[in-house]
Amino acid sequence: MDAYRKSMYQYVQSLPIPNGYRLFAWVSLLVTGVWLVECGLLDKGMTMELDITLIIVLILTGFGAGMIDAIAGGGGLITLPVLLATGMSPVEALATNKLQGSFGTLAASVYFVRKKLVDLSEMKLMIACTFVGAVVGTLLVQQLDASLLSAVMPVLLVLIALYFMFSKRMGDEDRDRKIGNALFAFVFTFAIGFYDGFFGPGTGTFFAVAFVSLLGFSMARATAHTKILNFTSNIASLIFFAMCGNIIWIAGFIMAVGQLVGGQLGARMVVSKGVSLVRPLIVIVTLVMSAKLLFDQYQQGDIQSFWQLLGYLN
């Protein structure tokens, strides 16, 4: 463990990032490393061969994904192809993606809390319901078939993109809420947390839509609250991936450095630009995500179920 501590300290000190980010990155890596040693998982996830080119690619990927994710979600569209290209299995890539993404959502969440866009005391129930929902979804995905969701999601994501494009509720000012926090937590955050654990793509978009349409939040506040709940559901899934030993920790840690900076920068842009930045980026990311899901179905030979779904809708 002492060798791990020293190597991580030297690694973080060599990075061209501000001192505050260095301290945050080193402490995060150290705390996680202690936990890994206790669980006996450190050696298993630290066997990936790295060179300077791969390290730079992973850091830059984490940075770009962290910035996009803090603003509009969908960072996995960037990170997962890169992780798969390193030779990881799909399960390892998904698990490692949850690890590195958690650092970005944490950095964005901390910034939003400091800017008082989020009051954590008012979100306790939402956080709890999201966590429970994500745990239930993660457990049930091993028992149930997610093919129906694969067919439904492209359509739903397109509808959400249209909502963001044309809804008058999208703005920089709060509007009247339609339901109370308790009902919102027990029904909607639980359901979206469950979805994240069970399937995943578009989770941040669903949270943002719920905050805007049901609680009347401005785009900046909706994005800020979304990051808190994204982080919550990420941690819930991450625990189970860690227990199964699926995470490639060293790759996740390296990407986490980029995520810490990118998440903070993206959060700053949300606060400074507001709806003029968030709305178009969410529309673009949502449509790209829908296209990717359709492409994945086509590759897997499941595109017929999508057209059957459209027939039922008509």
Side-chain angles (χ1 to χ4, degrees), residues 14 31 102 115 119 122 127 130 144 173 191 205 223 273:
S14 68
V31 170
S102 296
K115 290 296 180 179
D119 183 351
E122 295 181 355
I127 292 170
T130 300
L144 302 177
E173 302 294 332
T205 305
T223 302
K273 303 294 184 181

Side-chain angles (χ1 to χ4, degrees), residues 75-102:
L77 292 170
I78 301 172
T79 55
L80 282 173
V82 173
L83 290 171
L84 289 169
T86 66
M88 294 185 192
S89 69
V91 173
E92 288 173 338
L94 287 170
T96 305
N97 184 60
K98 286 292 184 183
L99 172 64
Q100 62 89 33
S102 296

Side-chain angles (χ1 to χ4, degrees), residues 98 124-142 144 149 184-200 203 207 229-238 240:
K98 286 292 184 183
K124 291 179 180 177
L125 187 58
M126 296 180 194
I127 292 170
C129 290
T130 300
F131 185 87
V132 172
V135 169
V136 174
T138 302
L139 292 174
L140 287 184
V141 74
Q142 304 173 48
L144 302 177
L149 273 177
F184 183 82
F186 282 119
V187 176
F188 293 97
T189 64
F190 175 85
I192 298 172
F194 173 87
Y195 167 79
D196 193 25
F198 189 80
F199 193 65
T203 298
F207 276 129
L229 299 185
N230 268 150
F231 177 69
T232 302
S233 59
N234 274 352
I235 293 299
S237 298
L238 189 61
F240 284 91

